[in-house]
Amino acid sequence: MAENAKESVDASVNDASQVKDTKSADAKKGRAKKDTEKKVESVEAESAEVTVTSSEASAAEAAESATTKAEEPEKKPRKTRKTMSKSTKVSAKAATAVADAGEKADDVMREEFSQEEFQAAVREQIENCKNELQTTLSESIRREYATIVKKQLKAANRRRRVGVIVRDLIILILAAAVGYFGWCLYDVKYFDWMGPRDVVSSTEQPDQKVEEPEEVVKDTRWYVNNYGYLFEDLQLGLDADSVEAYYLYGDDRKVSEIKPAYLLGMAYNKVMPTAESSTAAGASASVAAADLRTAFEGMFGTTEYFEKVGFTHGCKKFTYSRENDSFMTENSDCAMSSEREIVEEIDEMYEEGSVLYVLTTAAIYDAEEASFYSFDNLFKPVVMNAEKEDLAKNRALLNRYQYQFKKTGEKYHFSGVVKLR
């Protein structure tokens, strides 16, 4: 029975060892601990049972020994020795089994302590890993934050530089504008009143007044009075019923883009008084090509576009004669018979730099209908029941043009016309 108990203890210890090898982590540790406690209790119970059995065996042997002694008094010593020997063996086996069970239990406890140390080491490693992870994350966050801050600082510096550049540009533009307006005021002699005043000499009478020259204001009226002839020299006086009359009013045109026949008609305005004064009434009129070339150069500043071709001025049609090297017309005293006429007035005249600008309003006036037509639609009147003098009142509904004269030296030369509306 003691051997069975020892085998049971060995089996329990082996089972505990197997549990220790196959279980890991905290959940496995708990189950291993519980199994070990149960097996230790089982070993203790078996040890107690072995002890009880040994006691019962000793008591039975003692009783048997007493009965045998009563029956066979002479053989008492021999049986007693046998019984004691058997009892001693059983006790020794039980003691050995208990000692083995205790050693197994100690081994199990030591293994449990080893598991606890292992788990403690694992927890320590986990804690170390956690600390390292926290340190790594903190360092990574710090580096990332530093990178973001650097990028934001770069963007802020870039915006600041752009702002400085824009500010400087605005300051330069404002400075240029102030300088330009200052130059304009100086050009019109706005600052002349700041000059030194004339000092009255001691020989003059105190009540004698010094006449100061009047300040010249170069407004539209001043320019019309002094340079209005430049615009008048461009008028061809063409018949309003003729398609040729609308050529110059159809679009923007530079001098180089205008047909030579129209340029010759404009240049004829320079020589017309001399040519017609020497022509008898009803006779043919002529103008020398050399004279017209000189007038052409004076008006346009060049003879590059001068050609010896026929041209029309008013109702007179000129043709070029190679024999006389002149331009001739058969009827010099013709008159217009159309009810329509092209009317054009100067609205504004000013000078900027070396260019003189003349702004005009132009339309076709039909005296029979008392209506104004625009050059954009020759069949539908834009203003009805109007007088010819009402051109300025209806400026917003009619065509507007800008004539440009470029200054070369002290002379102005026609350079082109722009259709504003």
Side-chain angles (χ1 to χ4, degrees), residues 336-348:
M336 295 288 186
S337 60
S338 174
E339 294 294 335
R340 286 191 173 192
E341 64 175 316
I342 297 175
V343 291
E344 190 170 10
E345 292 182 356
I346 297 176
D347 300 328
E348 187 179 0

Side-chain angles (χ1 to χ4, degrees), residues 236-239 268 272 276 279-285 311-318 329-338:
L236 297 177
L238 299 177
D239 187 354
Y268 180 75
M272 180 175 60
E276 294 186 356
T279 303
S284 61
F311 65 91
T312 303
H313 187 280
C315 59
K316 297 184 288 291
K317 294 185 178 181
F318 289 84
T329 179
E330 296 297 333
N331 187 5
S332 61
D333 58 350
C334 63
M336 295 288 186
S337 60
S338 174

Side-chain angles (χ1 to χ4, degrees), residues 75-94:
K75 298 180 179 179
K76 175 180 177 181
R78 186 177 180 180
K79 290 182 178 180
T80 300
R81 286 194 300 270
K82 290 182 179 180
T83 302
M84 289 178 64
S85 178
K86 184 177 181 180
S87 181
T88 300
K89 291 180 179 180
V90 172
S91 298
K93 291 181 179 181

Side-chain angles (χ1 to χ4, degrees), residues 240-241 246 338-344 362-375 377-392 394 397-399:
D241 290 333
Y246 310 121
S338 174
E339 294 294 335
R340 286 191 173 192
E341 64 175 316
I342 297 175
V343 291
E344 190 170 10
I364 303 168
Y365 181 71
D366 192 320
E368 184 178 359
E369 298 179 1
S371 302
F372 285 105
Y373 290 82
S374 71
F375 293 97
N377 191 339
L378 303 177
F379 305 100
K380 183 178 180 181
V382 292
V383 180
M384 302 178 66
N385 300 321
E387 299 294 333
K388 181 180 178 180
E389 292 74 15
D390 296 336
L391 180 69
N394 300 284
L397 302 174
L398 303 176
N399 298 111

Side-chain angles (χ1 to χ4, degrees), residues 10-75:
D10 293 336
S12 299
V13 172
N14 292 331
D15 292 338
S17 299
Q18 291 178 358
V19 169
K20 178 237 179 186
D21 294 335
T22 56
K23 303 297 181 178
S24 60
D26 292 340
K28 294 180 181 180
K29 173 190 170 184
R31 285 196 293 268
K33 187 174 180 180
K34 289 180 181 179
D35 293 340
T36 304
E37 290 176 354
K38 289 180 181 180
K39 290 179 179 180
V40 170
E41 290 175 0
S42 175
V43 170
E44 291 177 352
E46 289 178 359
S47 300
E49 185 179 352
V50 169
T51 305
V52 172
T53 304
S54 300
S55 300
E56 290 177 355
S58 299
E61 288 177 358
E64 184 180 355
S65 176
T67 305
T68 306
K69 183 179 179 181
E71 292 177 357
E72 299 178 359
E74 293 180 358
K75 298 180 179 179

Side-chain angles (χ1 to χ4, degrees), residues 6-291:
K6 184 177 181 180
E7 291 177 358
S8 177
V9 171
D10 293 336
S12 299
V13 172
N14 292 331
D15 292 338
S17 299
Q18 291 178 358
V19 169
K20 178 237 179 186
D21 294 335
T22 56
K23 303 297 181 178
S24 60
D26 292 340
K28 294 180 181 180
K29 173 190 170 184
R31 285 196 293 268
K33 187 174 180 180
K34 289 180 181 179
D35 293 340
T36 304
E37 290 176 354
K38 289 180 181 180
K39 290 179 179 180
V40 170
E41 290 175 0
S42 175
V43 170
E44 291 177 352
E46 289 178 359
S47 300
E49 185 179 352
V50 169
T51 305
V52 172
T53 304
S54 300
S55 300
E56 290 177 355
S58 299
E61 288 177 358
E64 184 180 355
S65 176
T67 305
T68 306
K69 183 179 179 181
E71 292 177 357
E72 299 178 359
E74 293 180 358
K75 298 180 179 179
K76 175 180 177 181
R78 186 177 180 180
K79 290 182 178 180
T80 300
R81 286 194 300 270
K82 290 182 179 180
T83 302
M84 289 178 64
S85 178
K86 184 177 181 180
S87 181
T88 300
K89 291 180 179 180
V90 172
S91 298
K93 291 181 179 181
T96 302
V98 171
D100 293 339
E103 290 178 358
K104 297 292 185 178
D106 291 339
D107 293 338
V108 171
M109 294 301 291
R110 281 195 297 271
E111 291 175 356
E112 290 180 358
F113 287 136
S114 298
Q115 287 183 354
E116 291 178 356
E117 291 177 357
F118 173 75
Q119 292 175 356
V122 170
R123 284 194 295 271
E124 183 179 358
Q125 291 294 329
I126 292 173
E127 189 68 23
N128 292 336
C129 291
K130 182 177 73 175
N131 294 335
E132 291 179 0
L133 182 60
Q134 290 177 349
T135 303
T136 304
L137 288 175
S138 300
E139 184 66 20
S140 177
I141 292 171
R142 186 186 65 79
R143 288 196 299 269
E144 187 69 21
Y145 178 76
T147 303
I148 293 173
V149 170
K150 288 180 180 178
K151 289 182 179 178
Q152 292 179 349
L153 287 175
K154 288 182 179 178
N157 291 332
R158 192 180 301 110
R159 288 194 296 270
R160 182 175 61 82
R161 287 194 295 270
V162 172
V164 170
I165 293 173
V166 172
R167 181 200 63 191
D168 293 343
L169 288 176
I170 292 174
I171 292 173
L172 290 175
I173 292 172
L174 292 177
V178 171
Y180 173 75
F181 285 116
W183 181 85
C184 291
L185 293 176
Y186 174 78
D187 186 56
V188 298
K189 299 182 179 180
Y190 177 80
F191 300 104
D192 287 354
W193 62 272
M194 299 176 64
R197 296 183 180 180
D198 294 335
V199 180
V200 180
S201 63
S202 58
T203 59
E204 295 179 352
Q205 298 297 328
D207 57 348
Q208 185 178 0
K209 295 182 180 179
V210 179
E211 294 183 359
E212 296 181 358
E214 294 183 2
E215 182 180 355
V216 178
V217 179
K218 294 184 178 180
D219 56 4
T220 298
R221 180 180 298 179
W222 185 89
Y223 279 106
V224 171
N225 292 334
N226 290 274
Y227 297 102
Y229 69 90
L230 296 173
F231 171 72
E232 297 297 334
D233 288 344
L234 301 179
Q235 306 306 308
L236 297 177
L238 299 177
D239 187 354
D241 290 333
S242 173
V243 178
E244 297 177 352
Y246 310 121
Y247 171 75
L248 293 175
Y249 297 96
D251 201 353
D252 303 345
R253 299 189 190 279
K254 297 180 181 179
V255 171
S256 59
E257 299 172 349
I258 299 176
K259 294 179 180 179
Y262 289 89
L263 298 178
L264 292 175
M266 295 176 185
Y268 180 75
N269 287 317
K270 291 285 188 181
V271 298
M272 180 175 60
T274 303
E276 294 186 356
S277 62
S278 61
T279 303
S284 61
S286 65
V287 56
D291 294 339

Side-chain angles (χ1 to χ4, degrees), residues 279-332:
T279 303
S284 61
S286 65
V287 56
D291 294 339
L292 192 60
R293 178 187 291 272
T294 302
F296 191 98
E297 185 176 5
M299 177 171 286
F300 305 111
T302 180
T303 58
E304 180 182 356
Y305 314 113
F306 180 83
E307 294 184 12
K308 296 178 180 180
V309 295
F311 65 91
T312 303
H313 187 280
C315 59
K316 297 184 288 291
K317 294 185 178 181
F318 289 84
T319 58
Y320 175 70
S321 173
R322 292 185 178 181
E323 181 180 356
N324 300 323
D325 191 22
S326 62
F327 296 89
M328 304 179 65
T329 179
E330 296 297 333
N331 187 5
S332 61

